[in-house]
Amino acid sequence: MSRQSVAKAHQKIQELSWEPAYHEPVSQYGTDYTFRKAKKKDPLKQVLRSYFPMQEEKDHRVYGAEDGAIRGNMFRQVQERWLEWQKLFLSIIPLPEISAARAMPLLFRTVPNPELHNGQAIQMIDEVRHSTIQQNLKRLYMQNYIDPAGFNSSLRNFQNDYCGTIGRQFAEGFITGDAITAASIYLTIVAETAFTNTLFVAMPAEAAANGDYLLPTVFHSVQSDESRHISNGYATLLMALSDEGNHQLLERDLRYAWWNNHAVVDAAIGTFIEYGTKDRRKDRESYAEMWRRWIYDDYYRSYLVPLEKYGLVIPHDLIEEAWNRIWNKGYVHEVAQFFATGWLANYWRIDPMTDEDFEWFEHKYPGWYDKYGKWWENYNRLSVPNGHHPIVAEDVDYVYPHRCWTCMVPCLIREDMVMDKVDGQWRTYCSEPCRWTDAEAFRPVYQGRQTPNMGQLVGAREWETLYHGWNWADVVSDMGFVRDDGKTMVAQPHLDLDPKKMWTLDHLRRMPEVQSPNVLLNQMSDDERAAFQADYNRQGPAGRPAPAQPAQG
Amino acid sequence: MTTTQPRSVPKPVFTDAEAGAKVFPDSGLRRFNYFTPQKRKQSHYEDVTVEVQPDPRHYLTQGWLYAFADGRGGYPLEWTKLKAWGQDRPEPVRGPGSGGKGYDWPAHGWHEFRDPNEEWELTLYRYNANVVRQLNQNVEAARQAKAFEQWNRNWVHFVAQHVGAWMHVDHGLGLYLFANANRRAPTNMHNNAISVNSMHRIRAAQDLALYNLTLSEEIEDFDGTAHLSTWNEDPAWQGVREVSERLTGIDDWCEAVFAANVVFEPLVGELFRSNLVQQAAPANGDFVTPTLIGAEEFDYSERDLRYTRVMFDLLVNDREFADHNRGILQEWLSDWVPRCITAARTLQPLWSQPDAKPPRFEDGLDRAKSRFGGILSDLGLQAPKELGQ
C-alpha cells in the first residue's frame, strides 16, 4: 500500500466509480451546456492517502508560524493602516471559500465524468480548509491587534455592509444559476485561475511589507491548493469545448465572469494594495504593474489565448478595457476614494493619505495628484470631528455616485455610466458590460436561444434604498457598527484611538438624511432622467461635478 | 574590490499596534459577538464556523444576490421537509426605507446545531492523516512479515470479492450523497460536518481500493478486479447496490443523511463490517483487514453517527416542530428500514463463504437491529414494524 506509484494508485481508484444499475443519483442543478463528445480524464491524480498528510504538514507550518508571530510580538510592527483593511478582506473571503466547497456538487450530475468528481471532492474539502483557516487568522488578529472593533463583529458587519455585498457576489456567483456558468466558468476558470493570483499572491507580499507575515503564511498555503482547482476547471473547460453547441454559452459566460471578477476583485484588492499600505518604495510594484504581470501576461496571454485554437472565443475587448480602466481611467483610485467617502458606513478605519503617499502615487500614476490630491487633502482636513460633517456631507467637489445594479460597485468612471429600464425599474450600470450582464446574459433566452437554467440577479442591490430617508446615526446603529460605549463608531477616518478624536453617533445626527440615488432616479420624468445622465457622464474624474456648460445662443 | 547595490527592502517600523497598548471603546472586546455560543464561552470551532454561511432572516440586509432560474437563492429552508423553530415566520422584506434589521440572532432553530466533533480544517486533516498513516504502517508491517501468506485460500477470495465490493458503497455514498448534501443545508455547521463525513467515506473507499492493489501485488492469485464483477453481478450484493443507489437519489438532504447514517449504516454497514468481516478475519488468519475496516467503523460510530445524533436530536425536540419532525422521520423509517433489511438479508450468503465461519448471520443481524433500536430510542423514535422482517 505504501510503495505504490501515484499513477498506479490513481489508476486504481478509478475502479471505484460505477454506472447506476437501479437508480440514478438525484439531479438538483441544471445546465444549458452539453457534454456529448467530451473526452474524460482527471488531471488531478490526487489520492487521499497522500493528500491528508500533505495538508497536515502544511497546517503544521501555518500554525507554527502563527505561534511564532505571537511570541515574537509581530503586532508591535504591523501597520494599522494595513490591518484595518483586513477587517474588510477577512470578513469577505471565508464566504467565497466555503461557497466554492458548496459549488462542487453542482458539477456532479452536469459534468458526466466520474474521474473528475474525485478532484471536485478534494476541492470541496480544500475549500473547507481555506474558509476555516482564514476565519482562524481573523480570530488571531482580533485577539492580538490593538483595535479589535470590526474584527469582533466581522460576519454581522460583512453581511450588512455595502462593501460586503460587493464581495458577496464572489461567493453567490459560484453556487447558483446554470451549474457550469457558476461552478466552472465563474469559479474555476476566471476567479481561481485569474484572480487568486492577485488575492493570494500579490496581496500577501504587500502584507509582509507592512509587518504582517501571517497573511502570507496563510494565503500562500491556500494558494498552493489552487493549482489543483485550476486543473479541475481546465479539464471541464476542455470537455465543454468538445461540443460546438456550447461555444455561444462559453463566450457569454467568459464575458460575464471576466468583467464581474474584474469589477469586484480589482476594486477591493486594488484598494488594499494601493491604499492599505505604508510601503512607498518607488521600486515596489503598483497594483497596475502586478495586474499586468499576473493577470494580463500570466492569465490572459499564457492561459486564455492558447485556448483560442480549441474554438474558445476570448473577450479580448473586455480584457483590454479592464486594463484601460485600471491604467487610464483610475478605477482603483476612484474606488478607494469612494470607500473613504463612505467611511462612516463601514467597519474599519481609513486614514488619510500623506505627502509620502502622494509622492508615491504621482510616481506610479503620473497625473494622480491633479485628480485626487485635493480631495485627499480635504479628507485629511475633515478627519477629526471639529464642528463639521463627515466628508460625504461636506462640499469637497464630489458628487455622490449611483450604484451599478450588476457589480454593485458605484458608477465611478462617470463617462461610462449607462442606464436601462429592466424588469420595470430604471437601473444604472457602471459600464455597458454590466448592463449587458443584467439585461441580456442573466435571462432565460440569450440571443434567441433558450437558456432555462441561467440564474437571476436578485436582492436589494442598491444599499442606499434600505435607508432612504434615514438619519445617518440611525443607519450606523441599525447596521451595528458601534463600539461598546454605545456611541463611538467602529469606523473612523483616521487611526487615532484617542476617544476625544473619535467620531460618535452624536456627530452624525446633524447630517442630512440618506437619499437613495436609485429611488430618486425612478421618481424622475424621462426628460429629467436624460438630463441627469448627460450631466453624470460629464462628471469626474475623482467625482467632480460636471463643468458648467457655456451659455447657449 | 566589489561593490554591492543596496537592496530595496521594506523597512521594519515599530508601531506598537498590539493588543492592550491603549484603552478605548471596544479595546477589550476580543470575542466574536455576532452569535450566541452553545456553552458559556465560545469554542474555537464555533469561531471558525458559525455564521460564515449567511442567512437573510437575521443579517444579510440586502438579501441573496444571485438565484437559480426559479428565483431561489442561497440555501432554501424548504430543501428539507423537516423544520426548525422560527422558520415559518416570513423572511424579512427589505425595500425603500425599510432598514436592514431582520429577526434577532439566530432567527430560527437550524442555527443551534453544533458539530459535537467540532470539525474544522485543523481537526479533519489531523484525524484523517493519522488514519492513513496508521493504515499504511499496518499494511506495510504485514507485507514485510509475509502475513498475507497465512490467509486461508477462501479468505483471499472473500477479501478480493466482498471486502472489495464495499469500496463502491463508500465511494458512491461519499460522493453522491454526502458531498452532494454539503450544498443543501441551511447553516455552515451542518454543511461542514456533512463535508467531513463525505471525506471519511471517500477516504475509506480509497483505503480499500489501494489495499486491494497491494494485495494484488502481494498475493499470487489475488484477483484485483473481482470486486468489480462482484459489485456488478453477484446476486448477494445487488440488494446493497440497489439501496445504495436509491440513497444517492434522495432529494431531501435531511432524509439523505438520516437514511444513510441512522438506518443504512447500522443495519447494513455495521452488519457487514463489524458482524461479518471483523468477526471472520482473525480466524481466517487475517489481522490486517480488520484494521482498515475498523478505521471506517470508528469514522462512523465515533464521528459521523455522533454529529448525526445531535443534528436530529435537536429536530425531534424542537420547541415548535418536534411532532412534525418525528412524524416525518417515522415515515422515512417506514420507507428505509424495509429496504435496508432486504439489502442486509440479501448479503446472507456471504456468511457461509469463509472457511472459518463467523457467528451466524441471524445473530449478527439481531445485534445490528439492537444497535439500530438503541439509536432510535435515543432519538425518541419508534422502530417500525418492518424491522421484524
Side-chain angles (χ1 to χ4, degrees), chain B residues 60-340:
Chain B
L60 209 69
T61 55
Q62 290 178 252
W64 297 113
L65 305 171
Y66 281 80
F68 288 105
D70 64 3
R72 289 193 294 185
Y75 298 84
L77 297 179
E78 61 271 22
W79 277 354
T80 177
K81 287 197 278 187
L82 300 187
K83 289 184 170 185
W85 64 263
Q87 81 170 63
D88 275 357
R89 289 184 294 177
E91 201 171 296
V93 178
R94 282 101 170 188
S98 67
K101 191 150 174 54
Y103 300 112
D104 287 342
W105 199 92
H108 56 71
W110 289 105
H111 292 281
E112 292 178 339
F113 171 67
R114 299 289 184 278
D115 176 3
N117 303 316
E118 304 204 331
E119 292 279 22
W120 60 295
E121 70 102 19
L122 192 66
T123 60
L124 84 90
Y125 288 113
R126 200 179 274 166
Y127 173 81
N128 284 286
N130 279 341
V131 171
V132 294
R133 242 190 319 265
Q134 186 64 58
L135 294 184
N136 279 343
Q137 288 164 1
N138 294 348
V139 175
E140 184 61 17
R143 205 183 61 79
Q144 287 178 11
K146 308 284 182 202
F148 305 119
E149 292 174 6
Q150 301 166 28
W151 289 14
N152 290 338
R153 191 172 179 75
N154 265 341
W155 184 252
V156 170
H157 296 315
F158 185 93
V159 172
Q161 293 169 344
H162 304 304
V163 174
W166 188 257
M167 69 173 82
H168 300 291
V169 179
D170 283 328
H171 181 76
L173 297 184
L175 260 179
Y176 302 114
L177 188 149
F178 288 107
N180 188 61
N182 111 101
R183 170 68 185 88
R184 310 293 290 179
T187 83
N188 205 41
M189 292 77 80
H190 290 90
N191 285 324
N192 276 7
I194 291 168
S195 61
V196 172
N197 191 161
S198 156
M199 293 318 287
H200 289 158
R201 299 306 292 255
I202 296 171
R203 193 215 71 232
Q206 295 191 7
D207 290 343
L208 289 175
L210 298 178
Y211 180 50
N212 184 284
L213 180 59
T214 296
L215 297 178
S216 306
E217 292 164 349
E218 295 294 319
I219 301 174
E220 200 169 321
D221 57 350
F222 186 90
D223 181 356
T225 63
H227 67 96
L228 291 167
S229 50
T230 304
W231 180 247
N232 287 329
E233 295 153 23
D234 187 336
W237 278 95
Q238 297 316 298
V240 175
R241 178 165 177 161
E242 194 273 339
V243 80
S244 299
E245 291 185 6
R246 196 190 279 264
L247 283 165
T248 66
I250 299 172
D251 182 63
D252 183 308
W253 69 270
C254 270
E255 183 181 0
V257 173
F258 182 79
N261 279 351
V262 175
V263 185
F264 177 82
E265 274 302 306
L267 291 179
V268 181
E270 289 189 329
L271 174 72
F272 175 75
R273 292 189 301 260
S274 283
N275 290 300
L276 173 58
V277 180
Q278 302 293 66
Q279 303 286 339
N284 286 284
D286 179 5
F287 64 81
V288 189
T289 306
T291 67
L292 278 91
I293 296 295
E296 185 180 353
E297 207 65 302
F298 191 87
D299 290 344
Y300 168 66
S301 62
E302 300 301 321
R303 314 289 286 191
D304 300 332
L305 179 60
R306 195 160 168 243
Y307 89 78
T308 305
R309 278 179 198 261
V310 173
M311 192 176 111
F312 288 102
D313 189 64
L314 275 172
L315 293 162
V316 296
N317 292 302
D318 186 87
R319 67 185 195 222
E320 189 177 348
F321 294 111
D323 291 343
H324 166 89
N325 292 337
R326 280 203 199 99
I328 288 171
L329 290 171
Q330 287 297 150
E331 282 176 28
W332 289 344
L333 286 171
S334 298
D335 291 339
W336 287 101
V337 166
R339 290 168 188 159
C340 291

Side-chain angles (χ1 to χ4, degrees), chain A residues 213-232:
Chain A
Y213 56 78
L214 288 186
L215 196 91
T217 299
V218 171
F219 279 84
H220 286 174
S221 191
V222 165
Q223 183 69 4
S224 68
D225 296 329
E226 295 296 338
S227 58
R228 278 200 293 279
H229 310 168
I230 290 167
S231 300
N232 278 340

